[in-house]
Amino acid sequence: MRTSERLIESTRELLWERGYVGTSPKAILERAGAGQGSMYHHFRGKPDLAAAAIRRTAEEMRAAAEGVLGGPGTPYERIEAYLLRERDVLRGCPLGRLTMDPDVVADEELRAPVDETIGWLRGRLAGIVEEGKARGDFGPGLDGDEIAAAVVATVQGGYVLARASGSPAAFDAGVRGLLSLLASPPDSPPASRTAR
């Protein structure tokens, strides 16, 4: 692997583990096994390298999500597959955790890939909900944008609950709860919703 790739991959891991503030150039170089001047040979500095790492993480997350959301099955089954896909729940979301980092939120270049990826995911999910409504799988009263926001919020909030409790059980409970709401017959009132 080229030095620039090792630097990007090391930065991605450190951002996930420590956040932007906790990721020092020294730690990046040590993790990458790179010499002291190599970061500045390939990148303008830590912000430039972090932006490349965040973009790479965003691209991989989009590809992984699309692999499930664009796969076979009904709209419900595709949303279910996205919610149930394998995740390292206790590590949290490598992009979502960056929204808690004030330096990332304050820097347009660092924040943009995070915002764009979450926006893309919400749009993709909303489209699937609308597809389900057209097929009669979901009730006509459901709002695709609102359901998409609920799906993303369940995943991101589930990471927080799991990390706080030290157990993936809280994440799993949130996912099961959302799926039971989505699985209710299209014409049933909220009080009578049951899981599939």
Short mmCIF file of all heavy atoms in Angstrom, two decimals, residues 63-134:
data_model
loop_
_atom_site.label_atom_id
_atom_site.label_comp_id
_atom_site.label_asym_id
_atom_site.label_seq_id
_atom_site.Cartn_x
_atom_site.Cartn_y
_atom_site.Cartn_z
N ALA A 63 -21.69 3.18 -0.45
CA ALA A 63 -21.66 1.94 -1.23
C ALA A 63 -22.27 0.79 -0.44
O ALA A 63 -23.04 -0.01 -0.99
CB ALA A 63 -20.23 1.62 -1.64
N ALA A 64 -21.94 0.70 0.85
CA ALA A 64 -22.48 -0.38 1.69
C ALA A 64 -24.00 -0.24 1.82
O ALA A 64 -24.73 -1.23 1.72
CB ALA A 64 -21.83 -0.37 3.06
N ALA A 65 -24.48 0.98 2.04
CA ALA A 65 -25.92 1.21 2.17
C ALA A 65 -26.63 0.91 0.86
O ALA A 65 -27.68 0.25 0.85
CB ALA A 65 -26.20 2.65 2.62
N GLU A 66 -26.06 1.35 -0.24
CA GLU A 66 -26.69 1.11 -1.54
C GLU A 66 -26.72 -0.37 -1.87
O GLU A 66 -27.68 -0.87 -2.48
CB GLU A 66 -25.97 1.88 -2.64
CG GLU A 66 -26.59 1.72 -4.02
CD GLU A 66 -28.07 2.09 -4.09
OE1 GLU A 66 -28.51 3.03 -3.40
OE2 GLU A 66 -28.81 1.43 -4.86
N GLY A 67 -25.71 -1.11 -1.44
CA GLY A 67 -25.69 -2.54 -1.67
C GLY A 67 -26.89 -3.24 -1.06
O GLY A 67 -27.38 -4.25 -1.58
N VAL A 68 -27.39 -2.71 0.05
CA VAL A 68 -28.56 -3.28 0.72
C VAL A 68 -29.85 -2.64 0.21
O VAL A 68 -30.80 -3.33 -0.16
CB VAL A 68 -28.44 -3.10 2.25
CG1 VAL A 68 -29.67 -3.61 2.95
CG2 VAL A 68 -27.20 -3.80 2.78
N LEU A 69 -29.86 -1.31 0.16
CA LEU A 69 -31.09 -0.61 -0.24
C LEU A 69 -31.43 -0.82 -1.71
O LEU A 69 -32.59 -0.76 -2.10
CB LEU A 69 -30.95 0.89 0.05
CG LEU A 69 -30.82 1.25 1.54
CD1 LEU A 69 -30.51 2.74 1.69
CD2 LEU A 69 -32.07 0.86 2.31
N GLY A 70 -30.42 -1.06 -2.54
CA GLY A 70 -30.66 -1.31 -3.95
C GLY A 70 -30.78 -2.78 -4.28
O GLY A 70 -30.86 -3.17 -5.44
N GLY A 71 -30.77 -3.62 -3.25
CA GLY A 71 -30.83 -5.07 -3.45
C GLY A 71 -32.25 -5.56 -3.71
O GLY A 71 -33.18 -4.77 -3.88
N PRO A 72 -32.40 -6.88 -3.69
CA PRO A 72 -33.72 -7.46 -3.96
C PRO A 72 -34.66 -7.31 -2.76
O PRO A 72 -34.22 -7.04 -1.65
CB PRO A 72 -33.40 -8.94 -4.20
CG PRO A 72 -32.15 -9.19 -3.39
CD PRO A 72 -31.37 -7.90 -3.45
N GLY A 73 -35.93 -7.48 -3.03
CA GLY A 73 -36.92 -7.46 -1.95
C GLY A 73 -37.89 -6.31 -2.07
O GLY A 73 -37.70 -5.38 -2.85
N THR A 74 -38.90 -6.38 -1.25
CA THR A 74 -39.91 -5.32 -1.19
C THR A 74 -39.28 -4.09 -0.52
O THR A 74 -38.21 -4.20 0.11
CB THR A 74 -41.12 -5.77 -0.35
OG1 THR A 74 -40.68 -5.95 1.01
CG2 THR A 74 -41.73 -7.06 -0.89
N PRO A 75 -39.92 -2.95 -0.61
CA PRO A 75 -39.39 -1.78 0.09
C PRO A 75 -39.19 -2.03 1.59
O PRO A 75 -38.16 -1.66 2.14
CB PRO A 75 -40.45 -0.71 -0.18
CG PRO A 75 -40.97 -1.07 -1.54
CD PRO A 75 -41.01 -2.57 -1.54
N TYR A 76 -40.17 -2.69 2.22
CA TYR A 76 -40.00 -3.00 3.65
C TYR A 76 -38.79 -3.88 3.87
O TYR A 76 -37.99 -3.64 4.78
CB TYR A 76 -41.26 -3.70 4.21
CG TYR A 76 -41.06 -4.16 5.63
CD1 TYR A 76 -41.32 -3.32 6.70
CD2 TYR A 76 -40.56 -5.44 5.91
CE1 TYR A 76 -41.10 -3.73 8.01
CE2 TYR A 76 -40.35 -5.86 7.21
CZ TYR A 76 -40.61 -5.00 8.25
OH TYR A 76 -40.38 -5.41 9.55
N GLU A 77 -38.63 -4.91 3.05
CA GLU A 77 -37.51 -5.85 3.22
C GLU A 77 -36.16 -5.17 3.02
O GLU A 77 -35.19 -5.49 3.71
CB GLU A 77 -37.65 -7.03 2.27
CG GLU A 77 -38.79 -7.96 2.64
CD GLU A 77 -39.15 -8.95 1.54
OE1 GLU A 77 -38.75 -8.75 0.37
OE2 GLU A 77 -39.85 -9.93 1.86
N ARG A 78 -36.10 -4.21 2.12
CA ARG A 78 -34.84 -3.50 1.88
C ARG A 78 -34.50 -2.57 3.05
O ARG A 78 -33.35 -2.48 3.47
CB ARG A 78 -34.90 -2.76 0.55
CG ARG A 78 -34.80 -3.75 -0.60
CD ARG A 78 -35.39 -3.31 -1.91
NE ARG A 78 -35.09 -1.96 -2.30
CZ ARG A 78 -35.95 -1.20 -3.01
NH1 ARG A 78 -37.13 -1.66 -3.36
NH2 ARG A 78 -35.61 0.02 -3.34
N ILE A 79 -35.52 -1.90 3.60
CA ILE A 79 -35.28 -1.07 4.79
C ILE A 79 -34.90 -1.97 5.96
O ILE A 79 -33.98 -1.66 6.73
CB ILE A 79 -36.52 -0.21 5.11
CG1 ILE A 79 -36.72 0.84 4.01
CG2 ILE A 79 -36.38 0.46 6.48
CD1 ILE A 79 -38.02 1.62 4.11
N GLU A 80 -35.59 -3.09 6.11
CA GLU A 80 -35.27 -4.05 7.16
C GLU A 80 -33.82 -4.54 7.03
O GLU A 80 -33.08 -4.60 8.02
CB GLU A 80 -36.23 -5.23 7.09
CG GLU A 80 -35.96 -6.31 8.12
CD GLU A 80 -36.88 -7.51 7.94
OE1 GLU A 80 -37.04 -7.99 6.79
OE2 GLU A 80 -37.44 -7.95 8.96
N ALA A 81 -33.40 -4.87 5.81
CA ALA A 81 -32.04 -5.35 5.59
C ALA A 81 -31.02 -4.28 5.95
O ALA A 81 -29.96 -4.57 6.53
CB ALA A 81 -31.87 -5.78 4.13
N TYR A 82 -31.35 -3.02 5.64
CA TYR A 82 -30.45 -1.92 6.01
C TYR A 82 -30.34 -1.82 7.54
O TYR A 82 -29.24 -1.68 8.09
CB TYR A 82 -30.93 -0.59 5.42
CG TYR A 82 -30.15 0.58 5.95
CD1 TYR A 82 -28.86 0.81 5.52
CD2 TYR A 82 -30.70 1.41 6.92
CE1 TYR A 82 -28.11 1.86 6.04
CE2 TYR A 82 -29.96 2.45 7.45
CZ TYR A 82 -28.68 2.67 7.00
OH TYR A 82 -27.94 3.71 7.54
N LEU A 83 -31.46 -1.87 8.22
CA LEU A 83 -31.46 -1.73 9.67
C LEU A 83 -30.79 -2.91 10.37
O LEU A 83 -30.16 -2.75 11.41
CB LEU A 83 -32.88 -1.56 10.19
CG LEU A 83 -33.51 -0.19 9.93
CD1 LEU A 83 -35.01 -0.23 10.19
CD2 LEU A 83 -32.84 0.88 10.78
N LEU A 84 -30.91 -4.10 9.79
CA LEU A 84 -30.38 -5.30 10.43
C LEU A 84 -28.97 -5.68 9.95
O LEU A 84 -28.41 -6.66 10.43
CB LEU A 84 -31.33 -6.49 10.18
CG LEU A 84 -32.72 -6.37 10.82
CD1 LEU A 84 -33.59 -7.56 10.42
CD2 LEU A 84 -32.61 -6.26 12.34
N ARG A 85 -28.41 -4.92 9.02
CA ARG A 85 -27.11 -5.32 8.49
C ARG A 85 -26.04 -5.29 9.58
O ARG A 85 -26.19 -4.62 10.60
CB ARG A 85 -26.71 -4.45 7.30
CG ARG A 85 -26.23 -3.07 7.62
CD ARG A 85 -25.88 -2.31 6.34
NE ARG A 85 -25.48 -0.96 6.59
CZ ARG A 85 -24.25 -0.60 6.93
NH1 ARG A 85 -23.29 -1.49 7.05
NH2 ARG A 85 -23.96 0.66 7.14
N GLU A 86 -24.99 -6.02 9.35
CA GLU A 86 -23.91 -6.16 10.33
C GLU A 86 -23.26 -4.80 10.58
O GLU A 86 -22.90 -4.08 9.66
CB GLU A 86 -22.86 -7.14 9.79
CG GLU A 86 -21.81 -7.52 10.78
CD GLU A 86 -22.33 -8.38 11.92
OE1 GLU A 86 -23.29 -9.15 11.71
OE2 GLU A 86 -21.78 -8.28 13.02
N ARG A 87 -23.13 -4.44 11.85
CA ARG A 87 -22.49 -3.19 12.25
C ARG A 87 -21.65 -3.44 13.50
O ARG A 87 -22.00 -4.30 14.30
CB ARG A 87 -23.52 -2.12 12.60
CG ARG A 87 -24.32 -1.57 11.45
CD ARG A 87 -25.35 -0.55 11.98
NE ARG A 87 -25.98 0.17 10.91
CZ ARG A 87 -27.04 -0.26 10.26
NH1 ARG A 87 -27.59 -1.41 10.57
NH2 ARG A 87 -27.58 0.46 9.29
N ASP A 88 -20.60 -2.67 13.66
CA ASP A 88 -19.83 -2.70 14.90
C ASP A 88 -20.46 -1.66 15.82
O ASP A 88 -19.98 -0.54 15.98
CB ASP A 88 -18.36 -2.37 14.61
CG ASP A 88 -17.46 -2.67 15.79
OD1 ASP A 88 -17.98 -2.92 16.90
OD2 ASP A 88 -16.23 -2.64 15.61
N VAL A 89 -21.59 -2.06 16.42
CA VAL A 89 -22.46 -1.13 17.14
C VAL A 89 -21.73 -0.38 18.26
O VAL A 89 -21.91 0.82 18.43
CB VAL A 89 -23.71 -1.87 17.69
CG1 VAL A 89 -24.55 -0.96 18.55
CG2 VAL A 89 -24.53 -2.42 16.54
N LEU A 90 -20.90 -1.08 19.00
CA LEU A 90 -20.25 -0.45 20.15
C LEU A 90 -19.16 0.55 19.74
O LEU A 90 -18.77 1.39 20.55
CB LEU A 90 -19.69 -1.51 21.10
CG LEU A 90 -20.76 -2.37 21.78
CD1 LEU A 90 -20.12 -3.39 22.70
CD2 LEU A 90 -21.75 -1.51 22.55
N ARG A 91 -18.70 0.48 18.52
CA ARG A 91 -17.74 1.49 18.05
C ARG A 91 -18.45 2.75 17.58
O ARG A 91 -17.84 3.80 17.46
CB ARG A 91 -16.89 0.94 16.89
CG ARG A 91 -15.81 -0.02 17.35
CD ARG A 91 -14.88 -0.36 16.23
NE ARG A 91 -13.93 0.72 15.99
CZ ARG A 91 -13.11 0.76 14.96
NH1 ARG A 91 -13.12 -0.21 14.05
NH2 ARG A 91 -12.27 1.77 14.80
N GLY A 92 -19.73 2.63 17.28
CA GLY A 92 -20.48 3.78 16.79
C GLY A 92 -20.30 3.95 15.30
O GLY A 92 -19.62 3.17 14.64
N CYS A 93 -20.91 4.97 14.77
CA CYS A 93 -20.85 5.26 13.34
C CYS A 93 -19.62 6.11 13.05
O CYS A 93 -19.43 7.15 13.68
CB CYS A 93 -22.11 6.01 12.91
SG CYS A 93 -22.08 6.51 11.17
N PRO A 94 -18.79 5.70 12.10
CA PRO A 94 -17.57 6.47 11.83
C PRO A 94 -17.86 7.88 11.30
O PRO A 94 -17.04 8.78 11.50
CB PRO A 94 -16.83 5.64 10.79
CG PRO A 94 -17.83 4.71 10.22
CD PRO A 94 -18.88 4.51 11.26
N LEU A 95 -19.00 8.09 10.68
CA LEU A 95 -19.36 9.44 10.24
C LEU A 95 -20.21 10.15 11.28
O LEU A 95 -19.99 11.32 11.57
CB LEU A 95 -20.12 9.41 8.92
CG LEU A 95 -19.31 9.29 7.65
CD1 LEU A 95 -20.22 9.42 6.43
CD2 LEU A 95 -18.19 10.29 7.57
N GLY A 96 -21.18 9.46 11.82
CA GLY A 96 -22.09 10.07 12.79
C GLY A 96 -21.36 10.65 13.99
O GLY A 96 -21.72 11.72 14.48
N ARG A 97 -20.33 9.97 14.45
CA ARG A 97 -19.61 10.47 15.63
C ARG A 97 -18.89 11.79 15.34
O ARG A 97 -18.65 12.58 16.23
CB ARG A 97 -18.67 9.43 16.20
CG ARG A 97 -17.39 9.21 15.45
CD ARG A 97 -16.45 8.26 16.18
NE ARG A 97 -15.80 8.97 17.26
CZ ARG A 97 -15.55 8.46 18.46
NH1 ARG A 97 -15.90 7.23 18.74
NH2 ARG A 97 -14.96 9.16 19.39
N LEU A 98 -18.60 12.04 14.07
CA LEU A 98 -17.92 13.29 13.72
C LEU A 98 -18.82 14.51 13.89
O LEU A 98 -18.34 15.63 14.03
CB LEU A 98 -17.38 13.23 12.29
CG LEU A 98 -16.26 12.21 12.06
CD1 LEU A 98 -15.91 12.14 10.58
CD2 LEU A 98 -15.02 12.55 12.89
N THR A 99 -20.14 14.29 13.90
CA THR A 99 -21.05 15.42 14.09
C THR A 99 -20.97 15.96 15.51
O THR A 99 -21.46 17.05 15.79
CB THR A 99 -22.51 15.02 13.80
OG1 THR A 99 -22.92 14.00 14.72
CG2 THR A 99 -22.66 14.52 12.37
N MET A 100 -20.38 15.19 16.42
CA MET A 100 -20.21 15.63 17.81
C MET A 100 -18.89 16.36 18.02
O MET A 100 -18.60 16.81 19.12
CB MET A 100 -20.28 14.43 18.75
CG MET A 100 -21.57 13.63 18.63
SD MET A 100 -23.04 14.64 18.90
CE MET A 100 -22.86 14.97 20.64
N ASP A 101 -18.09 16.44 16.96
CA ASP A 101 -16.77 17.05 17.05
C ASP A 101 -16.87 18.51 16.61
O ASP A 101 -17.14 18.79 15.44
CB ASP A 101 -15.80 16.28 16.14
CG ASP A 101 -14.36 16.57 16.46
OD1 ASP A 101 -14.01 17.76 16.62
OD2 ASP A 101 -13.57 15.61 16.54
N PRO A 102 -16.69 19.46 17.52
CA PRO A 102 -16.87 20.87 17.16
C PRO A 102 -15.96 21.34 16.03
O PRO A 102 -16.36 22.19 15.23
CB PRO A 102 -16.59 21.63 18.45
CG PRO A 102 -16.05 20.66 19.42
CD PRO A 102 -16.33 19.29 18.92
N ASP A 103 -14.75 20.80 15.94
CA ASP A 103 -13.85 21.21 14.86
C ASP A 103 -14.34 20.74 13.50
O ASP A 103 -14.14 21.42 12.49
CB ASP A 103 -12.42 20.69 15.12
CG ASP A 103 -11.74 21.45 16.25
OD1 ASP A 103 -12.05 22.63 16.44
OD2 ASP A 103 -10.89 20.85 16.93
N VAL A 104 -14.96 19.58 13.45
CA VAL A 104 -15.50 19.08 12.19
C VAL A 104 -16.73 19.90 11.79
O VAL A 104 -16.86 20.33 10.65
CB VAL A 104 -15.86 17.58 12.29
CG1 VAL A 104 -16.61 17.10 11.06
CG2 VAL A 104 -14.60 16.74 12.50
N VAL A 105 -17.61 20.13 12.74
CA VAL A 105 -18.84 20.88 12.45
C VAL A 105 -18.52 22.31 12.01
O VAL A 105 -19.21 22.87 11.16
CB VAL A 105 -19.77 20.86 13.68
CG1 VAL A 105 -20.96 21.77 13.49
CG2 VAL A 105 -20.24 19.44 13.95
N ALA A 106 -17.46 22.89 12.54
CA ALA A 106 -17.10 24.27 12.21
C ALA A 106 -16.37 24.40 10.88
O ALA A 106 -16.23 25.50 10.35
CB ALA A 106 -16.23 24.86 13.32
N ASP A 107 -15.89 23.30 10.32
CA ASP A 107 -15.10 23.33 9.09
C ASP A 107 -15.93 22.78 7.94
O ASP A 107 -16.24 21.58 7.90
CB ASP A 107 -13.83 22.50 9.29
CG ASP A 107 -12.87 22.59 8.12
OD1 ASP A 107 -13.32 22.39 6.96
OD2 ASP A 107 -11.67 22.84 8.36
N GLU A 108 -16.27 23.63 6.99
CA GLU A 108 -17.14 23.24 5.88
C GLU A 108 -16.58 22.05 5.10
O GLU A 108 -17.31 21.14 4.73
CB GLU A 108 -17.35 24.43 4.94
CG GLU A 108 -18.18 24.12 3.71
CD GLU A 108 -19.59 23.64 4.03
OE1 GLU A 108 -20.15 24.06 5.05
OE2 GLU A 108 -20.12 22.83 3.25
N GLU A 109 -15.28 22.03 4.86
CA GLU A 109 -14.69 20.95 4.07
C GLU A 109 -14.78 19.60 4.80
O GLU A 109 -14.99 18.57 4.19
CB GLU A 109 -13.23 21.25 3.73
CG GLU A 109 -12.63 20.24 2.76
CD GLU A 109 -11.19 20.53 2.37
OE1 GLU A 109 -10.60 21.49 2.90
OE2 GLU A 109 -10.67 19.76 1.55
N LEU A 110 -14.61 19.62 6.11
CA LEU A 110 -14.71 18.39 6.89
C LEU A 110 -16.16 17.95 7.08
O LEU A 110 -16.47 16.76 7.07
CB LEU A 110 -14.04 18.56 8.26
CG LEU A 110 -12.53 18.85 8.26
CD1 LEU A 110 -12.04 19.08 9.68
CD2 LEU A 110 -11.75 17.72 7.59
N ARG A 111 -17.05 18.92 7.28
CA ARG A 111 -18.45 18.61 7.53
C ARG A 111 -19.20 18.17 6.27
O ARG A 111 -20.11 17.35 6.33
CB ARG A 111 -19.14 19.82 8.15
CG ARG A 111 -20.57 19.53 8.63
CD ARG A 111 -21.25 20.73 9.24
NE ARG A 111 -21.61 21.72 8.24
CZ ARG A 111 -21.02 22.90 8.07
NH1 ARG A 111 -20.06 23.28 8.88
NH2 ARG A 111 -21.39 23.72 7.12
N ALA A 112 -18.82 18.72 5.11
CA ALA A 112 -19.58 18.49 3.88
C ALA A 112 -19.79 17.01 3.54
O ALA A 112 -20.93 16.61 3.26
CB ALA A 112 -18.92 19.22 2.71
N PRO A 113 -18.76 16.15 3.58
CA PRO A 113 -19.02 14.75 3.23
C PRO A 113 -19.96 14.05 4.21
O PRO A 113 -20.72 13.15 3.82
CB PRO A 113 -17.64 14.09 3.27
CG PRO A 113 -16.64 15.19 3.33
CD PRO A 113 -17.34 16.40 3.82
N VAL A 114 -19.93 14.48 5.46
CA VAL A 114 -20.83 13.90 6.47
C VAL A 114 -22.26 14.31 6.15
O VAL A 114 -23.16 13.47 6.06
CB VAL A 114 -20.44 14.36 7.89
CG1 VAL A 114 -21.41 13.81 8.93
CG2 VAL A 114 -19.00 13.96 8.22
N ASP A 115 -22.48 15.59 5.94
CA ASP A 115 -23.80 16.12 5.64
C ASP A 115 -24.34 15.54 4.34
O ASP A 115 -25.51 15.13 4.25
CB ASP A 115 -23.73 17.65 5.57
CG ASP A 115 -25.08 18.28 5.35
OD1 ASP A 115 -26.07 17.81 5.93
OD2 ASP A 115 -25.15 19.27 4.58
N GLU A 116 -23.49 15.48 3.31
CA GLU A 116 -23.93 14.95 2.01
C GLU A 116 -24.32 13.48 2.10
O GLU A 116 -25.30 13.06 1.50
CB GLU A 116 -22.82 15.13 0.98
CG GLU A 116 -22.60 16.58 0.58
CD GLU A 116 -21.26 16.81 -0.11
OE1 GLU A 116 -20.55 15.82 -0.42
OE2 GLU A 116 -20.91 17.99 -0.33
N THR A 117 -23.57 12.72 2.86
CA THR A 117 -23.86 11.29 2.99
C THR A 117 -25.16 11.06 3.74
O THR A 117 -25.99 10.24 3.33
CB THR A 117 -22.69 10.55 3.67
OG1 THR A 117 -21.53 10.75 2.87
CG2 THR A 117 -22.97 9.07 3.81
N ILE A 118 -25.36 11.79 4.83
CA ILE A 118 -26.61 11.66 5.57
C ILE A 118 -27.78 12.13 4.71
O ILE A 118 -28.84 11.50 4.68
CB ILE A 118 -26.53 12.42 6.91
CG1 ILE A 118 -25.52 11.71 7.84
CG2 ILE A 118 -27.91 12.50 7.58
CD1 ILE A 118 -25.20 12.47 9.11
N GLY A 119 -27.59 13.20 3.97
CA GLY A 119 -28.63 13.69 3.07
C GLY A 119 -28.95 12.67 1.98
O GLY A 119 -30.13 12.44 1.66
N TRP A 120 -27.90 12.07 1.42
CA TRP A 120 -28.12 11.04 0.40
C TRP A 120 -28.90 9.87 0.98
O TRP A 120 -29.86 9.38 0.36
CB TRP A 120 -26.77 10.54 -0.15
CG TRP A 120 -26.94 9.35 -1.03
CD1 TRP A 120 -27.24 9.34 -2.37
CD2 TRP A 120 -26.88 7.97 -0.63
NE1 TRP A 120 -27.37 8.04 -2.81
CE2 TRP A 120 -27.16 7.19 -1.77
CE3 TRP A 120 -26.63 7.33 0.58
CZ2 TRP A 120 -27.18 5.79 -1.73
CZ3 TRP A 120 -26.65 5.95 0.63
CH2 TRP A 120 -26.92 5.19 -0.52
N LEU A 121 -28.52 9.42 2.16
CA LEU A 121 -29.18 8.28 2.79
C LEU A 121 -30.65 8.58 3.06
O LEU A 121 -31.53 7.75 2.77
CB LEU A 121 -28.46 7.91 4.08
CG LEU A 121 -29.03 6.72 4.86
CD1 LEU A 121 -29.05 5.46 4.01
CD2 LEU A 121 -28.24 6.51 6.14
N ARG A 122 -30.91 9.76 3.57
CA ARG A 122 -32.30 10.13 3.83
C ARG A 122 -33.11 10.16 2.54
O ARG A 122 -34.24 9.67 2.48
CB ARG A 122 -32.38 11.48 4.55
CG ARG A 122 -31.93 11.38 6.00
CD ARG A 122 -32.00 12.70 6.71
NE ARG A 122 -33.39 13.17 6.77
CZ ARG A 122 -33.76 14.30 7.36
NH1 ARG A 122 -32.86 15.06 7.96
NH2 ARG A 122 -35.02 14.66 7.39
N GLY A 123 -32.52 10.71 1.49
CA GLY A 123 -33.21 10.75 0.20
C GLY A 123 -33.47 9.37 -0.37
O GLY A 123 -34.55 9.08 -0.91
N ARG A 124 -32.49 8.49 -0.23
CA ARG A 124 -32.62 7.13 -0.74
C ARG A 124 -33.72 6.39 0.01
O ARG A 124 -34.55 5.69 -0.58
CB ARG A 124 -31.28 6.41 -0.60
CG ARG A 124 -31.21 5.05 -1.26
CD ARG A 124 -31.20 5.19 -2.77
NE ARG A 124 -31.02 3.91 -3.41
CZ ARG A 124 -32.03 3.10 -3.79
NH1 ARG A 124 -33.28 3.47 -3.59
NH2 ARG A 124 -31.77 1.95 -4.37
N LEU A 125 -33.71 6.52 1.33
CA LEU A 125 -34.74 5.86 2.15
C LEU A 125 -36.12 6.43 1.86
O LEU A 125 -37.11 5.69 1.77
CB LEU A 125 -34.40 6.02 3.63
CG LEU A 125 -33.23 5.17 4.14
CD1 LEU A 125 -32.73 5.72 5.48
CD2 LEU A 125 -33.64 3.71 4.27
N ALA A 126 -36.22 7.75 1.71
CA ALA A 126 -37.51 8.37 1.41
C ALA A 126 -38.08 7.84 0.10
O ALA A 126 -39.28 7.56 -0.01
CB ALA A 126 -37.37 9.90 1.35
N GLY A 127 -37.21 7.67 -0.88
CA GLY A 127 -37.64 7.12 -2.17
C GLY A 127 -38.18 5.70 -2.03
O GLY A 127 -39.17 5.32 -2.68
N ILE A 128 -37.54 4.91 -1.18
CA ILE A 128 -38.00 3.53 -0.97
C ILE A 128 -39.35 3.52 -0.25
O ILE A 128 -40.23 2.72 -0.58
CB ILE A 128 -36.93 2.73 -0.19
CG1 ILE A 128 -35.69 2.56 -1.08
CG2 ILE A 128 -37.47 1.37 0.25
CD1 ILE A 128 -34.50 1.99 -0.36
N VAL A 129 -39.53 4.42 0.70
CA VAL A 129 -40.83 4.52 1.38
C VAL A 129 -41.91 4.91 0.38
O VAL A 129 -43.01 4.32 0.37
CB VAL A 129 -40.78 5.52 2.55
CG1 VAL A 129 -42.16 5.76 3.13
CG2 VAL A 129 -39.83 5.01 3.64
N GLU A 130 -41.63 5.87 -0.47
CA GLU A 130 -42.62 6.29 -1.47
C GLU A 130 -42.94 5.14 -2.43
O GLU A 130 -44.08 4.95 -2.83
CB GLU A 130 -42.13 7.52 -2.23
CG GLU A 130 -42.02 8.78 -1.37
CD GLU A 130 -43.34 9.17 -0.70
OE1 GLU A 130 -44.41 9.01 -1.32
OE2 GLU A 130 -43.29 9.64 0.46
N GLU A 131 -41.91 4.37 -2.77
CA GLU A 131 -42.13 3.18 -3.60
C GLU A 131 -43.07 2.20 -2.89
O GLU A 131 -43.99 1.64 -3.50
CB GLU A 131 -40.78 2.52 -3.89
CG GLU A 131 -40.84 1.25 -4.72
CD GLU A 131 -39.50 0.56 -4.82
OE1 GLU A 131 -38.44 1.21 -4.66
OE2 GLU A 131 -39.50 -0.67 -5.03
N GLY A 132 -42.85 2.02 -1.59
CA GLY A 132 -43.71 1.13 -0.81
C GLY A 132 -45.14 1.63 -0.72
O GLY A 132 -46.09 0.85 -0.75
N LYS A 133 -45.29 2.95 -0.61
CA LYS A 133 -46.64 3.52 -0.58
C LYS A 133 -47.35 3.26 -1.91
O LYS A 133 -48.52 2.90 -1.93
CB LYS A 133 -46.57 5.02 -0.30
CG LYS A 133 -46.27 5.36 1.14
CD LYS A 133 -45.95 6.82 1.35
CE LYS A 133 -47.02 7.76 0.89
NZ LYS A 133 -46.69 9.18 1.15
N ALA A 134 -46.63 3.43 -3.02
CA ALA A 134 -47.22 3.22 -4.34
C ALA A 134 -47.64 1.77 -4.54
O ALA A 134 -48.64 1.49 -5.20
CB ALA A 134 -46.24 3.64 -5.43
#
